[in-house]
Amino acid sequence: MKRLDDANIHYFLERHRPDTVDITATVVGQRIEISVFDDDRVEVSCFVGNEDVLDEAVLYEMIDKEISEELNFSKNGGASQSPAAKI
């Protein structure tokens, strides 16, 4: 975290599991997720994107898509259906 502070990189801490502390750092065009495990192991995931400003319609579309996918997942008994199974 000292290196993030020294570089003036915004981050926040979270705890989703009992064996990790998660650090989410943001820089222009990237979100970096860092998981630090209690055994000192570190995992890093980087998500690259653009900084486009979108209107709320895009938010509603994303939410509707997630709801639809969740309903399909539940309807299929929790199993995702392969494209071949749909034919």
Side-chain angles (χ1 to χ4, degrees):
M1 290 188 317
K2 172 115 173 66
R3 292 191 72 183
L4 295 171
D5 288 335
D6 291 346
N8 292 317
I9 295 175
H10 172 78
Y11 64 90
F12 57 93
L13 303 174
E14 298 176 286
R15 188 158 178 116
H16 301 284
R17 298 174 16 182
D19 64 336
T20 63
V21 171
D22 297 306
I23 303 165
T24 302
T26 54
V27 295
V28 175
Q30 285 190 53
R31 184 180 80 243
I32 305 160
E33 295 179 357
I34 307 158
S35 295
V36 181
F37 291 79
D38 58 6
D39 63 1
D40 293 330
R41 187 169 34 102
V42 176
E43 291 180 356
V44 178
S45 298
C46 295
F47 302 92
V48 179
N50 60 42
E51 299 285 324
D52 290 349
V53 176
L54 307 170
D55 65 17
E56 65 187 74
V58 174
L59 173 63
Y60 297 140
E61 288 173 22
M62 289 188 299
I63 292 170
D64 290 345
K65 180 181 176 198
E66 287 298 315
I67 290 170
S68 175
E69 288 176 2
E70 183 63 30
L71 289 174
N72 287 336
F73 183 77
S74 296
K75 194 174 3 176
N76 292 325
S80 60
Q81 194 174 23
S82 71
K86 295 179 184 177
I87 299 175

